[in-house]
Amino acid sequence: MAAFFQKLFKSRKPATPARKASARTQPTVAPAEDKRAELRQEQLQTLQTSPTQDTAADLAIEGLTADIRFKAAGLLQNAELLQRVQKQAKGRDKRVYQEVRHKLQTIREEQSQQEAISGTITSLIRNARDQAKSDDTKLYGARLDALLDQWAAIEANATAEQMSEFLEHAHLCRERLADIRAAQDAEKHQREQHLQREETLELMARTLAELKQQPTETLASLASLDALQKTQENRWREATRDTQVEKQQQKTYEAAMMALRNYINAIRHIGQAKESLLAIAAIDHQNAGPDDQKRASDLLKDINWPEGFPSPDLLTPVNKLAGKPKVPAQSSNNQKQQQVFADDLKAALDQLEKALEAKQLKESRQLLKTVQQHLKNLDHRNSKTFQARVQLLTGQLRDLTDWQGFATEPKQIALCEQMEYLAEQPMEPEAKSERIKELQKEWRELGGSSDRMLWSRFKQASDEAYEPCKTYFKAKSGLKQANLEKRKTICAELEHFVGAIDWNTIDWKAVEHILQTARQEWKAAWPVEFRDNRQIQKQFDELLKKLEAPINQEREKNEALKKTIVEQAQALTAHDPLHEAMNKAKALQADWKAVGITRHREDRKLWQAFRKACDEIFARRDAERSEQQQVAKEADNAAETVLQQIADVSASQDEQALREATTALQNLDASQASATTKEQIQREKHRLSQAIEAQKLKTSIAEWQALILARIEGNVPTDTLPSKWLTLAESVGELNEQEIVIRAEILAGIPSPETDQTKRMEIQVQRLTEGMGSTEKTNNALRGIEGLVAAWCTKRAEQGADPSLASRLNKALDSLVKN
């Protein structure tokens, strides 16, 4: 691959001058255009063969033509290579740069979108896990449906592991929802059964009351009473299935049903013995013999007319013959009260008639109860007036009830067929169980069935459909039992911990952690059977209260400490000096950290107040800093103006200009300026000071050089020399003019003529012997040369000094000025 790239891009390397010269001197080499065409063709072929990302990146950077580079950039998908190409193409190839930038932006957007989806997936999994463990059952189904809808929108982006985890928690949620709904359905079913029992007892009581008001001249309809008995027996059986019935309620039903059965049996026997009864009625009681009387007694014993019910007129002759009196009618009330009862009954009958015409079954039943109640209040004589209408409307109500039963039978048959079909289908146990419950609920809502064969068919199909679910729910029951044991273990450990704890030396954070861990493990031990969990839940709650009581006391104590810290911090917001307030605030922050456990919500409130107070304290510091910075900025601006003016003053200007610049800097108040500006001012002062010193030195040396040249003409008058020169000349000692010049050249660091090299060497050795270095500083060299110049000018001779030596001495002084 490396050799391929070298061959592919060899013409891109810059040609060296030698190669260029070689190319000019070798006219036989192929033209550059042919080589470029060949290389361009190779690069195009490489693009057509689906190159690797690395190859495409190299072509996007080093391709011969803009089209090749653009096509190669279009093949890139790797973000790292796109960034490399973008960096190389910036400022060189606009199309490639824009293409890779667009691709990078797309990749970043996709990554951002993927991160958002990933965050949503994580959040949904966490929500599903929390809901599976949550004890809050309010709107549980709606929250689960919303969670599943949100998951369906992003399910395609989830990994297999994430999908498995979510589905596991969702399955637990469904189980929990099924348990909740089962409990609700069971409760509703029990309420419905209770209502059915109440209605049954009420109907039985009303029927018996009606029979007690039955006219003696006619018999009640045996078919209607028989149908009523069977219907109410089935209804009671359904209403008492798989539930507990109060003993008193059961006794009431059994007594009412027994009375009704006795009445029906008596009516049936009367019907069967009607001819015998008519024959006995035709006998003349005065001529009746013992056999006739025995026959009448046996017949009454077979009929066994129940007590408390008016004896029909058909039995009167038999009773007389057998020596038994007729059952008296109920006692009557006064005529005025009876009239009020009669008016109430008439109004109730009118309402019942309207309700029956509107086919309002429920309202009609309620109104019939009212009618029967009013009918009970009337005596036998007054009730006869309404007996026919009451029986008519009662018959109409039975017809309406039978019609509704006829209407529900096809639905019940359809439910049997659905249940039988469900029993044959392989389904998930949870879903199958839910469907069975739904069909059973629909059956109950139809009011059951008096057809035993139809009910047996539905019951058998339900049992067959539920059979495959038993194993699953048995295993689930095992899981619930295991979780229940875990919860018992948690309670035992908590109870042991509570009993052994010493609240005086306890680590409160450890206790709080134990409490939190216990709650988490308790929630994790789910699902459990609600009934079995009641007692253990009560024990767990009591243990938590025992732990939470001292913890809450400790929290309240610590909250009081933090409240005190907050008050102290608030007092520091106006405290002076500021640095002292800041130090105390830092100390309060350390005190805050040392305080123990608190309630999270209260701690957040106190922390916000404490943070606000500390922010105000340090905001004062920031305000002072800002003020100082503003003052420093103004001082810097003022100094900058002066410094810009002084920057034009160079060392070559005269001493007056330099001194004026120095005075301007000295008059500048730099006490409030920044450190950088202060340093710049000091540098300018130092520069100007050096420039002034240099000017002074230059002036002095010019004067010295004039005196040196005056020495050529003869001795220089002493009064024209500086006063200190006589002393300086004496310190130098007796030197001839040549030695003076050579020593000056040594101090100035300039060479001496070849003729004086030997003498120079001697002087240097002598200086080393005297302890004088050859690398003296400028100031020392200047003082040394000044002494030599003083010795030169004060020297007395009969004739003037050697001009060449004077010239060499002035040259040494010139070198000092240049340095």
Side-chain angles (χ1 to χ4, degrees):
M1 185 64 70
F4 170 75
F5 284 130
Q6 184 176 3
K7 177 181 178 182
L8 190 62
F9 302 117
K10 60 184 180 180
S11 65
R12 303 290 291 174
K13 297 180 180 179
T16 60
R19 288 175 60 188
K20 291 181 180 179
S22 176
R24 287 194 298 269
T25 57
Q26 296 180 8
T28 60
V29 178
E33 289 77 3
D34 294 341
K35 288 186 178 182
R36 287 178 60 84
E38 180 181 354
L39 185 57
R40 182 169 57 253
Q41 189 64 28
E42 289 179 2
Q43 292 179 352
L44 289 173
Q45 291 177 356
T46 302
L47 288 176
Q48 294 173 358
T49 57
S50 301
T52 63
Q53 290 289 293
D54 292 334
T55 304
D58 291 331
L59 286 174
I61 297 172
E62 301 293 342
L64 284 179
T65 65
D67 289 339
I68 292 174
R69 294 192 295 273
F70 183 75
K71 290 179 181 178
L75 298 175
L76 292 175
Q77 299 295 332
N78 185 277
E80 184 177 354
L81 293 175
L82 284 169
Q83 291 176 350
R84 181 164 69 88
V85 172
Q86 183 185 29
K87 183 177 180 181
Q88 295 292 330
K90 186 176 183 180
R92 296 175 55 190
D93 193 326
K94 185 176 180 181
R95 288 182 66 199
V96 171
Y97 178 78
Q98 292 178 345
E99 176 69 13
V100 296
R101 186 180 66 175
H102 177 70
K103 281 180 170 289
L104 282 171
Q105 184 177 358
T106 303
I107 290 174
R108 293 189 186 102
E109 290 176 354
E110 292 176 353
Q111 290 176 348
S112 177
Q113 185 178 6
Q114 190 61 35
E115 289 175 359
I117 293 175
S118 178
T120 303
I121 291 173
T122 303
S123 176
L124 290 177
I125 292 174
R126 183 176 62 253
N127 292 342
R129 181 175 59 252
D130 293 343
Q131 183 160 345
K133 298 178 181 180
S134 174
D135 293 331
D136 182 12
T137 59
K138 187 176 181 180
L139 298 177
Y140 197 92
R143 288 188 283 134
L144 179 58
D145 291 340
L147 196 63
L148 293 175
D149 292 341
Q150 294 175 11
W151 177 260
I154 52 88
E155 184 177 6
N157 302 101
T159 63
E161 182 179 357
Q162 290 173 332
M163 190 176 299
S164 175
E165 184 178 1
F166 178 83
L167 292 178
E168 179 182 356
H169 296 313
H171 178 68
L172 293 176
C173 290
R174 290 192 184 98
E175 288 183 346
R176 181 71 183 283
L177 181 60
D179 291 340
I180 294 172
R181 287 177 175 172
Q184 293 174 347
D185 291 342
E187 184 179 356
K188 182 178 179 182
H189 180 54
Q190 290 177 357
R191 289 197 303 269
E192 291 177 353
Q193 286 181 317
H194 182 75
L195 180 61
Q196 291 295 325
R197 293 195 298 271
E198 291 290 338
E199 291 181 352
T200 298
L201 293 177
E202 187 175 355
L203 179 59
M204 295 285 292
R206 187 171 65 247
T207 302
L208 293 175
E210 291 175 359
L211 293 176
K212 290 178 180 180
Q213 300 292 335
Q214 178 71 24
T216 59
E217 63 270 13
T218 59
L219 293 175
S221 173
L222 179 61
S224 298
L225 291 176
D226 192 51
L228 176 65
Q229 176 193 350
K230 292 180 180 180
T231 302
Q232 296 311 309
E233 284 178 341
N234 290 333
R235 186 179 187 185
W236 184 264
R237 192 179 297 112
E238 290 291 335
T240 57
R241 189 184 303 278
D242 300 328
T243 187
Q244 293 181 351
V245 183
E246 296 178 1
K247 292 182 179 181
Q248 184 61 39
Q249 194 178 47
Q250 184 67 27
K251 288 180 180 180
T252 304
Y253 167 75
E254 292 174 353
M257 184 55 69
M258 180 61 69
L260 180 61
R261 287 171 183 165
N262 293 336
Y263 191 90
I264 292 173
N265 289 333
I267 294 295
R268 184 178 290 111
H269 281 90
I270 289 174
Q272 294 172 354
K274 189 172 183 180
E275 293 181 358
S276 300
L277 293 172
L278 292 175
I280 292 174
I283 297 174
D284 186 1
H285 293 182
Q286 294 179 356
N287 298 323
D291 293 336
D292 294 331
Q293 190 175 11
K294 184 177 183 303
R295 181 183 171 190
S297 298
D298 292 340
L299 192 58
L300 288 176
K301 187 181 294 184
D302 291 338
I303 293 173
N304 192 21
W305 185 260
E307 295 181 0
F309 295 92
S311 178
D313 294 343
L314 194 58
L315 294 180
T316 301
V318 181
N319 285 323
K320 287 181 179 181
L321 184 60
K324 292 185 178 181
K326 183 178 179 180
V327 177
Q330 293 182 356
S331 61
S332 61
N333 297 318
N334 61 73
Q335 188 64 30
K336 185 177 180 181
Q337 185 67 33
Q338 289 295 309
Q339 184 62 42
V340 173
F341 291 153
D343 294 340
D344 292 340
L345 178 57
K346 186 177 182 301
L349 286 171
D350 293 339
Q351 294 177 1
L352 176 58
E353 189 173 3
K354 291 180 181 179
L356 288 171
E357 290 176 357
K359 292 184 171 30
Q360 297 174 345
L361 181 60
K362 185 176 180 181
E363 290 77 359
S364 298
R365 286 175 175 173
Q366 295 294 334
L367 288 170
L368 182 59
K369 294 179 185 179
T370 305
V371 167
Q372 291 171 345
Q373 185 64 37
H374 291 321
L375 192 61
K376 287 180 183 179
N377 296 330
L378 293 174
D379 56 21
H380 180 67
R381 183 176 61 83
N382 290 310
S383 64
K384 284 184 177 180
T385 309
F386 300 98
Q387 286 291 343
R389 189 178 181 190
V390 170
Q391 289 182 358
L392 176 63
L393 295 179
T394 302
Q396 291 179 1
L397 179 59
R398 290 196 187 101
D399 292 341
L400 180 60
T401 304
D402 293 341
W403 178 83
Q404 286 208 343
F406 175 77
T408 59
E409 184 176 357
K411 297 180 181 178
Q412 291 173 338
I413 294 174
L415 288 175
C416 290
E417 293 174 351
Q418 293 180 41
M419 188 67 78
E420 290 167 350
Y421 175 78
L422 182 64
E424 299 173 355
Q425 301 303 311
M427 294 176 61
E428 182 184 0
E430 287 284 348
K432 197 168 190 177
S433 175
E434 284 295 323
R435 183 55 182 158
I436 291 172
K437 292 177 181 177
E438 290 174 0
L439 293 177
Q440 290 175 341
K441 181 180 178 182
E442 292 180 21
W443 179 274
R444 288 192 299 269
E445 289 175 350
L446 291 176
S449 174
S450 59
D451 189 343
R452 298 301 302 167
M453 293 182 63
L454 190 60
W455 161 245
S456 299
R457 178 185 175 186
F458 183 77
K459 181 67 168 60
Q460 182 180 357
S462 300
D463 294 341
E464 292 176 359
Y466 189 74
E467 188 65 29
C469 302
K470 287 184 178 180
T471 304
Y472 170 79
F473 286 107
K474 184 177 180 181
K476 183 179 178 182
S477 177
L479 175 61
K480 290 182 177 180
Q481 185 62 34
N483 288 331
L484 186 64
E485 293 300 325
K486 289 181 182 178
R487 290 193 169 188
K488 289 180 179 179
T489 303
I490 293 172
C491 286
E493 293 175 352
L494 275 180
E495 189 169 7
H496 175 72
F497 176 74
V498 171
I501 195 170
D502 183 2
W503 295 108
N504 296 323
T505 60
I506 192 64
D507 182 355
W508 291 103
K509 290 186 178 180
V511 175
E512 193 173 41
H513 178 70
I514 289 172
L515 189 63
Q516 183 179 4
T517 304
R519 284 198 176 98
Q520 292 173 352
E521 292 180 356
W522 186 268
K523 289 183 179 180
W526 189 89
V528 293
E529 192 65 40
F530 289 113
R531 295 179 180 176
D532 298 338
N533 185 59
R534 288 175 184 172
Q535 187 62 32
I536 195 69
Q537 181 72 48
K538 183 178 179 182
Q539 182 184 1
F540 181 71
D541 293 339
E542 290 176 354
L543 289 170
L544 289 186
K545 289 179 181 178
K546 291 181 181 179
L547 279 175
E548 287 175 342
I551 289 177
N552 288 335
Q553 292 178 0
E554 180 66 17
R555 286 171 174 167
E556 291 174 358
K557 183 186 76 174
N558 292 333
E559 287 167 6
L561 293 175
K562 287 193 173 183
K563 186 176 181 180
T564 303
I565 293 175
V566 171
E567 293 173 353
Q568 293 176 358
Q570 290 173 344
L572 290 175
T573 55
H575 183 79
D576 286 320
L578 178 59
H579 70 276
E580 184 177 330
M582 291 170 57
N583 292 334
K584 289 183 177 180
K586 293 177 181 178
L588 289 177
Q589 289 175 347
D591 294 341
W592 181 278
K593 293 179 180 179
V595 177
I597 61 173
T598 55
R599 289 174 294 180
H600 179 71
R601 182 176 296 179
E602 295 299 323
D603 187 78
R604 291 301 304 168
K605 292 180 180 178
L606 292 171
W607 168 250
Q608 290 175 359
F610 180 62
R611 180 66 181 272
K612 181 181 179 181
C614 291
D615 289 345
E616 290 180 4
I617 295 171
F618 291 103
R620 289 174 57 196
R621 178 197 63 184
D622 296 338
E624 288 189 2
R625 284 183 177 177
S626 177
E627 184 178 355
Q628 292 175 355
Q629 289 174 355
Q630 183 63 29
V631 173
K633 184 177 180 181
E634 294 175 357
D636 289 348
N637 293 335
E640 184 66 24
T641 303
V642 176
L643 290 172
Q644 288 179 355
Q645 296 174 356
I646 294 174
D648 298 334
V649 179
S650 63
S652 61
Q653 292 181 330
D654 57 13
E655 184 177 353
Q656 181 63 27
L658 294 173
R659 290 191 179 278
E660 290 178 356
T662 301
T663 302
L665 284 178
Q666 290 176 348
N667 294 334
L668 186 64
D669 184 8
S671 59
Q672 302 295 334
S674 63
T676 303
T677 303
K678 288 180 180 180
E679 183 180 356
Q680 189 175 359
I681 292 173
Q682 291 300 324
R683 286 200 304 268
E684 286 298 318
K685 286 182 177 180
H686 182 66
R687 182 180 71 83
L688 293 175
S689 176
Q690 287 183 334
I692 292 173
E693 292 297 327
Q695 288 290 346
K696 290 182 179 179
L697 177 61
K698 186 176 181 181
T699 302
S700 299
I701 288 177
E703 294 176 354
W704 295 354
Q705 288 177 336
L707 292 174
I708 290 171
L709 294 177
R711 176 72 175 72
I712 296 174
E713 301 297 330
N715 295 328
V716 179
T718 304
D719 55 353
T720 61
L721 299 176
S723 59
K724 64 178 181 178
W725 275 20
L726 294 176
T727 305
L728 289 174
E730 291 178 357
S731 64
V732 171
E734 290 293 333
L735 298 176
N736 58 36
E737 294 177 351
Q738 182 185 15
E739 289 179 342
I740 291 173
V741 173
I742 293 173
R743 286 179 178 272
E745 288 172 343
I746 292 172
L747 291 173
I750 61 176
S752 301
E754 290 292 335
T755 55
D756 290 341
Q757 287 298 322
T758 302
K759 186 64 176 176
R760 180 171 177 143
M761 184 64 68
E762 292 177 358
I763 294 173
Q764 286 178 337
V765 171
Q766 182 182 356
R767 284 170 56 81
L768 290 173
T769 303
E770 294 173 354
M772 302 175 64
S774 60
T775 58
E776 295 174 290
K777 296 181 179 179
T778 303
N779 291 337
N780 293 334
L782 182 60
R783 286 196 297 271
I785 290 179
E786 185 178 5
L788 294 172
V789 173
W792 173 278
C793 293
T794 58
K795 194 172 185 63
R796 295 291 180 259
E798 295 180 357
Q799 57 182 5
D802 187 353
S804 62
L805 293 176
S807 175
R808 287 171 58 188
L809 183 57
N810 282 340
K811 186 176 179 182
L813 292 175
D814 288 337
S815 68
L816 289 178
V817 176
K818 293 178 181 179
N819 291 337

